[in-house]
Amino acid sequence: MPRSALFSRDIGTFASMTPLKNIRNFSIVAHIDHGKSTLADRLIQVTGGLANREMKEQVLDSMELERERGITIKAQTVRLEYPAKDGETYVLNLIDTPGHVDFTYEVSRSLSACEGALLVVDASQGVEAQTLANVYQAIDVDLEIVPVLNKIDLPAAEPDRVKAQIEDVVGIDASDAVEISAKTGMGVPDVLEAIVTRLPAPEGDAEAALKALLVDSWYDPYLGVVVLVRVIDGTLKKGMRIRMMGAGAVYTVDQVGVSTPKKTPVDLLGPGEIGYLTAQIKEVADTKVGDTITDDRRPTDIALSGFKPSVPVVFCGIFPVDANDFEDLREAMGKLRLNDASFEFEMETSAALGFGFRCGFLGLLHLEIIRERLEREFNLDLITTAPSVVYEIHLTDGTMIELHNPADMPDPVRIDHMEEPWIRATIMAPDEYLGGILKLCEERRGVQQDLTYAGSRAMVVYELPLNEVVFDFYDRLKSASKGYASFDYQIVEHRPGDLVKMQILVNEEPVDALSIVVHRDKADMRGRAMCEKLKDLIPRHMFKIPIQAAMGGRVIARETIAALRKDVTAKCYGGDASRKRKLLDKQKAGKKKMRQFGRVEIPQEAFIKALKIDS
């Protein structure tokens, strides 16, 4: 097909539907920092998606946080046009995916919209933990995988060793892996040829009823909700009345388009194509990720299976510093929930912090990113409570309840036993750091499952309680391995544990926001650390303030904040000592009475610092 019939640049829209055999939908999967986003930049540049003057580094990482941290948080889509060596012009739909363990849900959604994947591996570092996790996700959904060795121009690059490692560890043939340097552009045309020759074309029927998968959605202040779709069967056009099969909502399509990576309107999207639509959608709940979009007048018979819903593993409370910002926080969370389907929240109240939300996340980095996005994008000041995991409490009457918030723990008399989530963690690191890593895992109640070697790198598999991992495990692991270890995990099951609720009492009053569930063996240490921290954070009052960590009715740690004192004996120059004694006793009695009725004001900064994850 001649290029002009396929793509008409002068009117800014695609003039006709692309033949299925000329479409390739693919993802780039890799460990963090192995060069996914840089390769995406080069593919956009080589195919002319953007002019050289419009190019910038990590062009698909549009979020300020992504550019700042150098990581991909949101999967981004771009449509490229490539005239191949066989004379045909191909349309390539590329989805750049995150590499971090906390964003695997983004990866799984992206892979379900593709037929193939480029597995990018750093030619000097080799296979890492997240490489395995992401490539197994691609294998699970039957994608064709093309191995790509990146950073081949580095002096430390060992392509032959890494090819052998991919075959040994991952189990796929890497003999014809494409060798490239995404930074310099070396070998990138070979990647484009490999995409069109080695990845399969999508299947679909243009005459059938419309069936499209809702891959992602985000909120635009001018257009309302923008929906990213992958068309399976039929065609999607402007003016069509579409129905979200899961939500049951009906809308008229205002605009259909593709990202090149600039938003470009098109006449229609056919089978196998990925694009966006707008339809003046105001209700965030109507665009559920994984839903099936069909023609309202001629609906499809069977909906797509959609995505397996994500299961949050870390929970914490998020409260506005100013109680007047509560409604703004609710609205901001609704918009973020639309853009990040793995984020969950429900309303809760706290005696110390007022109205807020109990939020569920896929991990600590996910928690950190959501909090930063709320603060930056919506201009909110927030307090985050200590992160906790979901415990299963089996009561004496035979029922089981899930505990998300330690403050809601039932009376210990009613509890038969408690179960906590355990994970299977895969850690890969150079051999010389293995001792420190094994010691760290043993300290965290870990059970070793496996230890193997891939060259000079050790791969150790441990089962660990998630409660021990959510606080500072990742930071400690990086310290123990000088940053060389890579870490990936998946939830295995809930197992019984000797768990207790630890409360913090300030002036003998419990502070629910500081309650945590800990293993009995670790309670003393955690209690002491929390009391010492609060002693430095709570300002002195006119009376003595005891800070206690209690487990049930037993106090396990205590610190005391001394009272501010006025020098009442200053006016006594000499004379009988009983005059001074009388004044001091009077002051003491006053302070005792003050302590009885006085309320301790814990400043917001003290909460924020006390709840920061221990280093």
Side-chain angles (χ1 to χ4, degrees):
M1 176 178 284
R3 188 173 178 131
S4 58
L6 202 129
F7 195 68
S8 169
R9 292 249 186 219
D10 56 330
I11 57 166
T13 62
F14 291 81
S16 63
M17 200 160 57
T18 312
L20 274 171
K21 68 180 180 65
N22 287 17
I23 298 174
R24 297 290 182 272
N25 297 322
F26 68 99
S27 253
I28 305 179
V29 294
H31 186 76
I32 313 145
D33 282 343
H34 279 205
K36 293 181 300 298
S37 298
T38 311
L39 176 57
D41 288 353
R42 291 296 84 74
L43 292 173
I44 292 167
Q45 201 171 7
V46 169
T47 55
L50 287 175
N52 283 344
R53 63 185 169 75
E54 297 172 302
M55 282 302 296
K56 57 184 177 184
E57 282 190 25
Q58 275 82 42
V59 72
L60 293 183
D61 290 347
S62 54
M63 213 185 292
E64 186 188 338
L65 260 176
E66 292 180 311
R67 307 189 69 78
E68 206 172 276
R69 287 172 176 253
I71 57 172
T72 302
I73 295 166
K74 283 294 300 172
Q76 297 287 347
T77 314
V78 62
R79 174 175 174 139
L80 307 169
E81 198 187 332
Y82 173 61
K85 289 178 182 174
D86 61 6
E88 295 273 354
T89 299
Y90 290 86
V91 165
L92 312 180
N93 290 311
L94 150 67
I95 302 181
D96 178 28
T97 60
H100 198 280
V101 60
D102 283 16
F103 305 113
T104 45
Y105 191 62
E106 283 286 324
V107 179
S108 67
R109 283 171 25 203
S110 306
L111 294 178
S112 59
C114 302
E115 284 77 38
L118 300 180
L119 171 65
V120 177
V121 181
D122 186 320
S124 57
Q125 292 183 357
V127 175
E128 301 275 9
Q130 243 353 78
T131 314
L132 287 176
N134 288 339
V135 77
Y136 287 151
Q137 276 190 305
I139 291 167
D140 285 348
V141 288
D142 289 334
L143 296 193
E144 187 66 39
I145 292 162
V146 174
V148 175
L149 298 190
N150 191 20
K151 307 189 186 181
I152 207 80
D153 54 335
L154 291 182
E158 298 175 80
D160 295 334
R161 177 185 68 81
V162 174
K163 282 181 187 176
Q165 199 182 23
I166 292 171
E167 289 178 357
D168 292 347
V169 181
V170 182
I172 58 172
D173 179 25
S175 56
D176 54 354
V178 186
E179 298 184 11
I180 67 159
S181 165
K183 194 171 186 181
T184 63
M186 183 181 92
V188 172
D190 299 337
V191 175
L192 288 163
E193 281 301 315
I195 290 165
V196 299
T197 55
R198 289 161 63 178
L199 296 184
E203 294 174 1
D205 179 6
E207 303 303 316
L210 173 66
K211 186 192 285 185
L213 176 68
L214 200 159
V215 181
D216 200 1
S217 53
W218 59 92
Y219 193 83
D220 184 287
Y222 303 106
L223 302 170
V225 178
V226 182
V227 177
L228 182 71
V229 293
R230 155 73 204 265
V231 181
I232 310 294
D233 289 322
T235 54
L236 182 63
K237 302 178 204 161
K238 181 180 174 178
M240 268 179 94
R241 278 186 67 75
I242 54 164
R243 188 194 313 158
M244 317 285 181
M245 291 181 83
V250 177
Y251 291 100
T252 303
V253 178
D254 284 341
Q255 190 188 85
V256 178
V258 294
S259 172
T260 67
K262 290 182 280 195
K263 295 276 177 283
T264 309
V266 300
D267 295 335
L268 57 91
L269 288 173
E273 295 191 294
I274 297 175
Y276 69 87
L277 69 88
T278 62
Q280 293 186 14
I281 303 169
K282 299 286 186 295
E283 283 299 314
V284 166
D286 289 348
T287 53
K288 206 167 167 209
V289 167
D291 203 348
T292 305
I293 296 175
T294 189
D295 188 341
D296 187 43
R297 295 187 181 88
R298 186 166 70 115
T300 183
D301 300 329
I302 306 160
L304 297 161
S305 55
F307 307 124
K308 191 169 72 180
S310 68
V311 180
V313 294
V314 176
F315 284 82
C316 81
I318 292 183
F319 296 83
V321 168
D322 182 352
N324 296 330
D325 290 341
F326 175 73
E327 282 305 324
D328 295 341
L329 177 60
R330 187 205 295 271
E331 193 180 324
M333 284 190 166
K335 288 175 182 174
L336 263 197
R337 170 84 178 83
L338 171 73
N339 191 229
D340 184 350
S342 52
F343 167 52
E344 295 189 0
F345 64 92
E346 60 182 34
M347 204 181 124
E348 75 164 355
T349 56
S350 154
L353 302 171
F355 287 99
F357 294 91
R358 191 82 192 154
C359 306
F361 307 92
L362 297 186
L364 278 188
L365 180 69
H366 190 206
L367 184 161
E368 218 176 296
I369 294 294
I370 291 287
R371 192 185 66 209
E372 281 205 41
R373 286 187 69 186
L374 286 169
E375 287 177 347
R376 287 185 188 201
E377 294 174 26
F378 302 98
N379 217 9
L380 295 164
D381 287 329
L382 304 172
I383 299 171
T384 315
T385 65
S388 68
V389 299
V390 186
Y391 299 96
E392 289 183 353
I393 300 182
H394 294 262
L395 302 174
T396 48
D397 62 3
T399 57
M400 188 275 284
I401 57 169
E402 285 191 346
L403 179 71
H404 292 185
N405 187 349
D408 300 334
M409 192 157 165
D411 188 335
V413 180
R414 295 176 53 214
I415 299 172
D416 180 55
H417 69 278
M418 281 177 74
E419 294 187 358
E420 61 182 334
W422 278 62
I423 61 168
R424 178 174 281 111
T426 306
I427 300 166
M428 297 187 80
D431 187 37
E432 63 262 35
Y433 304 116
L434 191 60
I437 290 168
L438 296 180
K439 183 169 177 273
L440 174 65
C441 292
E442 294 296 332
E443 278 174 10
R444 299 304 172 97
R445 302 191 280 133
V447 180
Q448 190 176 322
Q449 300 294 311
D450 193 14
L451 175 58
T452 52
Y453 281 86
S456 64
R457 289 179 76 78
M459 183 168 94
V460 60
V461 179
Y462 256 89
E463 288 191 351
L464 291 150
L466 184 61
N467 185 20
E468 299 284 350
V469 175
V470 296
F471 280 92
D472 60 348
F473 182 83
Y474 198 65
D475 295 339
R476 293 280 302 277
L477 177 68
K478 288 292 181 194
S479 301
S481 64
K482 296 190 178 164
Y484 284 106
S486 60
F487 170 69
D488 174 59
Y489 67 84
Q490 65 265 1
I491 301 285
V492 186
E493 61 185 351
H494 277 72
R495 294 179 190 169
D498 188 7
L499 303 163
V500 289
K501 175 184 172 183
M502 189 181 81
Q503 277 190 309
I504 299 294
L505 310 173
V506 177
N507 201 18
E508 296 177 1
E509 286 196 12
V511 182
D512 59 349
L514 298 175
S515 300
I516 53 171
V517 173
V518 288
H519 194 268
R520 196 180 295 273
D521 297 347
K522 301 284 178 80
D524 289 17
M525 185 180 72
R526 290 290 289 280
R528 268 198 307 276
M530 192 70 104
C531 289
E532 285 169 12
K533 210 180 219 185
L534 285 169
K535 185 187 176 186
D536 297 333
L537 294 170
I538 296 174
R540 289 167 71 183
H541 287 51
M542 292 301 293
F543 50 91
K544 190 168 66 174
I545 304 170
I547 300 168
Q548 298 161 306
M551 208 167 68
R554 187 166 70 89
V555 172
I556 55 173
R558 171 179 172 134
E559 292 286 339
T560 305
I561 300 174
L564 285 168
R565 283 186 56 185
K566 181 184 174 188
D567 189 358
V568 289
T569 59
K571 62 178 181 282
C572 296
Y573 297 101
D576 190 357
S578 60
R579 282 183 66 205
K580 288 187 179 181
R581 184 78 268 145
K582 196 188 283 182
L583 287 165
L584 289 169
D585 286 346
K586 195 175 175 185
Q587 183 186 40
K588 194 174 174 185
K591 290 202 177 294
K592 192 175 178 186
K593 190 174 181 183
M594 210 185 279
R595 189 187 148 199
Q596 208 174 334
F597 299 106
R599 283 189 57 82
V600 178
E601 292 298 323
I602 305 177
Q604 302 286 18
E605 304 85 68
F607 268 116
I608 295 164
K609 285 177 183 163
L611 295 170
K612 273 214 168 125
I613 296 145
D614 292 322
S615 54

